[in-house]
Amino acid sequence: MATFIPSVFANRNGIQQRRNSYEDGVYGTTCPIPPGKNFTYALQVKDQIGSFFYFPSLAFHKAAGGFGGIRILSRPLIPVPFPEPAGDFTVLIGDWYKTDHARLKAILDGGNRLPFPDGILINGRGPNAASFTVDPGKTYRLRISNVGLENTLNFRIQGHVMKLVEVEGTHTLQTTLSSLDVHVGQSYSVLVTADQPSRDYYMAVSTRFTTQVLNTAAVLHYSNSANPVSGEPPSAPTTVDWSLNQARSIRTNLTASGPRPNPQGSYHYGLINVTRTVRLANSAALVNGKQRYAVNSASFVPSDTPLKLADYFKIAGVFRVGSIADNPTGAGVYLETSVMGADHRAFVEIVLENRESVLQSWHLDGYSFFVVGMDGGRWRAASRKQYNLRDAVARCTTQVYPKSWTAVYVALDNVGMWNLRSQLWGRRYLGQQLYLRVYTPSHSVRDEYPIPKNVILCGKAQGKGFAASQSPIPIQ
């Protein structure tokens, strides 16, 4: 499929871009789209289903909006483990700043942390401005994504329960929820039945794990309702333990089909030998008097040339494979264009260690991974005894609770240069990210597609054998 996205950059959060990281829409792989120009992204999604979203990924443009939902439907004749709903709604929730994105970027460039946000938006609208109309007695699918910058949000519907059915492309065991924690960058599908007396109800959203709590609401409108919303919006849970227990309860439906007819449980990830363990610890520090964030002490700084293009054209001096350690070093934070090398088809255990007092959210482009374990305290080798090796959910974004760890398994079957990042956008902008270079010496299209014919060239890649050379593009 191809689409025009009028943005300087557009990343499709969760779309795996199989064999084609050139099209991933982040600065490590792709040159920015010049102002006033168009670019056609080629997306291949035949091996995916589910709920995702797109957003502008360059600089701090995400703070300006420009995001939207992506729905990948199951192919005809492949069964879905629930009846077809009467309607399908995209619900984009996120914290919001009144301050312009350029000013927010200037705050970060000045070495400061982001301020607390001003509010929460639902589908780009303020309190009670977004409305979703339902017919009495019918069931609807809500695809909920947290497209915000910094904060976990809790979602709930006054007087109604939700049935969880899908998480970022994985059909889940169908559990009934009164509210749902959605961490930054995550997407969920729930079913809601309009089985209450006909009137309007609050769809409430509030921040979690913040000293000051922000609240907003949309309206669930029954089509024959003559009564506006009334009463108080439902309250949200308040503890970390509640959220942790909910996260642990999300499991894969092993008998349901995914994008292919075979059951999701036919891939026995728990029986595969792990070939490598990578431990990644996030941290915060001042470097040269300015706020920076790091992974294993390396705080990412972008190069003047996208890493994937430098790799393709064999341009020296842009990055170095192995410039970030596999384990926390305990060293002071330093600036680095962090690239970790990995072998194609390796099966890797990644332990995300959060020794800070803030909740983290981590995302890996190009992949889904199995969230096999999470707990408080320090990770130890003995922590593997509590891993779920049978029906862990496969997803692309996972949370790590304060002073806690999360472990994932990932099969590195997708060649390319892939961004592993904090979804907390201020942290990502100030260095809490790296690139995973999944490499094979093979040059077969079975492993990786050729460089796109419409590739934009910039930095040291300008004029590298392409007819249409490009002018340098400023990051604004």
Side-chain angles (χ1 to χ4, degrees):
M1 125 181 157
T3 184
F4 290 99
I5 301 178
S7 174
V8 179
F9 252 162
N11 177 262
R12 280 74 55 195
N13 198 80
I15 303 302
Q16 294 177 9
Q17 297 289 160
R18 303 293 301 176
R19 298 182 287 171
N20 196 6
S21 65
Y22 294 107
E23 305 273 15
D24 196 35
V26 289
Y27 188 61
T29 63
T30 314
C31 292
I33 305 168
K37 302 295 183 180
N38 290 326
F39 183 80
T40 302
Y41 289 104
L43 312 182
Q44 189 270 93
V45 297
K46 72 174 185 179
D47 289 326
Q48 289 188 263
I49 58 166
S51 310
F52 309 96
F53 65 93
Y54 63 85
F55 66 95
S57 66
L58 188 66
F60 220 67
H61 294 168
K62 189 182 182 188
F67 32 70
I70 297 175
R71 306 173 185 177
I72 305 178
L73 307 180
S74 295
R75 288 180 287 172
L77 304 181
I78 294 181
V80 175
F82 49 85
E84 183 174 356
D88 195 329
F89 296 115
T90 293
V91 185
L92 304 178
I93 59 178
D95 51 16
W96 182 256
Y97 292 82
K98 295 178 181 177
T99 305
D100 177 79
H101 74 89
R103 175 58 188 152
L104 292 174
K105 177 178 177 291
I107 291 172
L108 295 171
D109 289 339
N112 303 297
R113 300 181 181 216
L114 281 181
F116 193 69
D118 297 298
I120 301 171
L121 300 184
I122 301 176
N123 284 1
R125 297 175 177 269
N128 300 329
S131 181
F132 302 84
T133 300
V134 296
D135 292 329
K138 294 185 179 181
T139 298
Y140 295 82
R141 182 175 185 169
L142 306 183
R143 301 176 188 258
I144 308 162
S145 296
N146 185 338
V147 297
L149 298 177
E150 294 286 310
N151 291 286
T152 295
L153 300 175
N154 182 269
F155 180 88
R156 54 223 181 263
I157 303 176
Q158 183 184 28
H160 294 72
V161 295
M162 302 174 287
K163 182 182 290 184
L164 181 67
V165 294
E166 179 253 332
V167 174
E168 295 163 17
T170 298
H171 288 130
T172 63
L173 292 179
Q174 297 180 11
T175 54
T176 300
L177 309 172
S178 58
S179 69
L180 175 64
D181 274 355
V182 187
H183 306 283
V184 181
Q186 291 187 338
S187 298
Y188 292 88
S189 280
V190 299
L191 299 180
V192 176
T193 300
D195 57 2
Q196 299 300 305
S198 293
R199 64 179 183 88
D200 290 357
Y201 295 87
Y202 286 112
M203 302 171 71
V205 179
S206 57
T207 56
R208 292 275 274 131
F209 318 114
T210 55
T211 302
Q212 175 187 351
V213 178
L214 297 175
N215 295 281
T216 195
V219 176
L220 185 70
H221 171 68
Y222 278 56
S223 58
N224 62 344
S225 168
N227 299 312
V229 290
S230 61
E232 293 294 323
S235 58
T238 59
T239 66
V240 172
D241 285 346
W242 184 94
S243 187
L244 175 61
N245 289 333
Q246 181 177 81
R248 287 171 167 168
S249 73
I250 299 173
R251 305 293 181 94
T252 295
N253 183 338
L254 298 177
T255 61
S257 297
R260 296 174 180 268
N262 49 303
Q264 294 179 140
S266 60
Y267 183 76
H268 301 287
Y269 68 91
L271 301 179
I272 302 173
N273 290 329
V274 172
T275 58
R276 180 180 177 186
T277 294
V278 176
R279 295 170 51 213
L280 301 176
N282 53 269
S283 60
L286 295 179
V287 178
N288 300 324
K290 293 187 175 183
Q291 182 66 57
R292 297 293 301 184
Y293 299 98
V295 185
N296 287 0
S297 299
S299 184
F300 186 87
V301 289
S303 63
D304 62 355
T305 305
L307 308 180
K308 183 59 183 174
L309 296 184
D311 203 16
Y312 175 82
F313 290 114
K314 296 180 172 55
I315 302 171
V318 175
F319 71 91
R320 180 175 60 86
V321 175
S323 51
I324 181 171
D326 275 21
N327 295 283
T329 65
V333 171
Y334 61 95
L335 304 181
E336 180 64 71
T337 304
S338 313
V339 177
M340 179 177 289
D343 295 332
H344 184 215
R345 303 201 182 281
F347 192 78
V348 178
E349 173 190 40
I350 301 176
V351 182
L352 303 165
E353 302 183 23
N354 183 8
R355 301 172 185 177
E356 300 181 77
S357 58
V358 299
L359 184 141
Q360 270 284 4
S361 183
W362 285 98
H363 174 87
L364 176 60
D365 280 352
Y367 289 94
S368 285
F369 44 66
F370 295 93
V371 185
V372 294
M374 57 176 64
D375 204 355
R378 292 289 186 99
W379 181 88
R380 302 282 188 269
S383 302
R384 295 187 177 106
K385 294 178 181 178
Q386 60 182 280
Y387 283 6
N388 176 1
L389 299 181
R390 183 173 181 270
D391 61 354
V393 68
R395 63 186 313 166
C396 59
T397 303
T398 187
Q399 70 273 31
V400 191
Y401 292 98
K403 306 288 186 181
S404 301
W405 57 268
T406 295
V408 305
Y409 282 177
V410 57
L412 298 182
D413 58 357
N414 195 12
V415 171
M417 188 77 72
W418 303 108
N419 191 213
L420 175 59
R421 61 178 177 265
S422 172
Q423 294 279 52
L424 309 188
W425 218 242
R427 284 178 167 256
R428 192 253 188 189
Y429 180 77
L430 290 182
Q432 212 149 78
Q433 60 170 310
L434 59 101
Y435 280 83
L436 187 66
R437 179 183 184 254
V438 180
Y439 175 76
T440 176
S442 166
H443 295 290
S444 170
V445 294
R446 294 174 301 177
D447 298 324
E448 186 172 29
Y449 290 140
I451 189 169
K453 293 181 179 179
N454 66 337
V455 65
I456 300 172
L457 301 181
C458 58
K460 294 182 175 68
Q462 289 187 81
K464 289 288 183 179
F466 286 83
S469 62
Q470 304 293 328
S471 299
I473 301 165
I475 298 175
Q476 301 175 344

